[in-house]
Amino acid sequence: MRNTHRFGVATGLCAAALATFNLHALAAEGYKDTPIIPGQKWHVHDSDRPMAPVITPAETFSLGAPPPSDALVLFDGKDLANWVGDKGAARWKVENGYMEVAKGTGAIRTRGAFEDFQLHLEFATPAEVHGHSQERGNSGVFLHGRYEIQVLDSFENPTYADGQCGAIYGQWPPLFNACKKPGEWQSYDIVFQAPHWDDAGKLLKPAYVTVIQNGVVIHDHREILGATGHRVLPKYSPYPSHGPIELQDHGNPTRFRNIWLRKLNESEQP
Ligand code: MG
């Protein structure tokens, strides 16, 4: 989501002063005027929360992984037939085997809805870097259309920890920053367990997620605290046990390819 915290204009400063300015500005990224995340000591998007340690992932892990026989292929590089937009057809660009966010056309989501699943997808943030922090290659994978696994160019791009690439947005930073360089293809392999409520709307079981980015576990059966949002506390609201996969239009031309899903532990369709 968008970070409204902006750096000032630094024109006219000498190089040394500019470097100092940048360090101070980067340290101030994030917020301290937001609520404390339940069960944690950090504010939502806390500027003091440590960024995940940086590691270099192996060159390839599941990039180009062919779908197993029981997988639903959600995007095979040819068209958006399995996706819809806010006002009907999905209007993102499709070319050369990938889809690309078409700024201003809105999020797209799968026609199908799923309960528990294994999801494979690949993404690339723009090779040409513009902006900083939350403005660089921002998109997101919304599980059940509600729980954002952040997509961001987090290669040497400081931002608040719970908004860096791989974060469960506003809740949990990834365990590691396993990001590749801008423009390079990266993989997410995600295992999601749906939340459940009783008939009275009481939460019986929260959602859990495991995420592997470029071969590196960045969330290990992590409890999701509720629907994700910008500067707000996570909150659960009851809904049927199934939901779509949604990809975010945050105004940056981030690309996706090779998206497939395997259903796990399907209960009866609502
Ligand atoms: Mg995002």
Side-chain angles (χ1 to χ4, degrees):
M1 305 289 281
R2 191 169 300 281
N3 175 15
T4 54
H5 200 115
R6 300 275 189 262
F7 294 168
V9 175
T11 51
L13 298 177
C14 71
L18 184 61
T20 304
F21 167 85
N22 279 340
L23 279 175
H24 289 163
L26 293 175
E29 197 64 59
Y31 301 90
K32 297 299 283 186
D33 63 345
T34 47
I36 297 284
I37 301 168
Q40 302 184 13
K41 64 178 182 178
W42 306 106
H43 292 265
V44 174
H45 317 318
D46 200 314
S47 52
D48 292 335
R49 192 168 192 169
M51 298 277 289
V54 177
I55 62 167
T56 303
E59 189 137 334
T60 184
F61 174 63
S62 57
L63 286 179
S69 61
D70 63 347
L72 297 170
V73 176
L74 301 175
F75 178 66
D76 65 0
K78 297 191 178 90
D79 59 53
L80 296 175
N82 294 324
W83 300 79
V84 292
D86 290 333
K87 298 169 186 165
R91 292 185 290 153
W92 289 14
K93 186 161 76 176
V94 177
E95 62 181 16
N96 303 322
Y98 58 78
M99 62 165 89
E100 182 179 292
V101 177
K103 182 179 180 179
T105 61
I108 66 172
R109 64 194 63 82
T110 52
R111 293 183 184 277
F114 316 101
E115 189 174 4
D116 299 352
F117 53 81
Q118 170 189 350
L119 173 70
H120 173 85
L121 67 80
E122 301 171 18
F123 66 91
T125 62
E128 197 173 315
V129 172
H130 294 287
H132 69 278
S133 184
Q134 294 289 298
E135 300 165 346
R136 270 177 58 172
N138 196 335
S139 182
V141 181
F142 282 70
L143 310 173
H144 277 197
R146 294 167 173 81
Y147 316 110
E148 182 181 14
I149 305 299
Q150 174 71 302
V151 170
L152 193 77
D153 172 3
S154 283
F155 187 84
E156 299 176 354
N157 178 31
T159 188
Y160 43 86
D162 67 21
Q164 69 179 105
C165 192
I168 302 170
Y169 188 80
Q171 302 181 19
W172 297 105
L175 293 169
F176 299 93
N177 178 343
C179 291
K180 294 189 177 181
K181 293 176 181 173
E184 295 185 1
W185 284 102
Q186 311 191 48
S187 59
Y188 272 164
D189 290 281
I190 297 173
V191 181
F192 178 75
Q193 291 185 6
H196 290 286
W197 291 266
D198 65 15
D199 292 340
K202 178 170 177 279
L203 185 69
L204 296 176
K205 173 181 166 286
Y208 289 93
V209 71
T210 295
V211 182
I212 301 175
Q213 181 184 6
N214 301 324
V216 175
V217 174
I218 60 169
H219 295 290
D220 180 7
H221 196 64
R222 179 74 83 185
E223 179 182 339
I224 296 176
L225 305 174
T228 55
H230 184 56
R231 289 177 50 85
V232 295
L233 287 178
K235 187 168 178 288
Y236 273 116
S237 304
Y239 61 93
S241 55
H242 291 55
I245 307 299
E246 181 176 294
L247 303 177
Q248 184 184 41
D249 170 11
H250 203 287
N252 304 144
T254 292
R255 296 171 177 173
F256 295 90
R257 73 179 186 189
N258 192 23
I259 307 176
W260 51 259
L261 177 148
R262 295 183 60 251
K263 294 180 180 179
L264 304 170
N265 302 319
E266 281 280 299
S267 57
E268 288 192 17
Q269 286 278 350

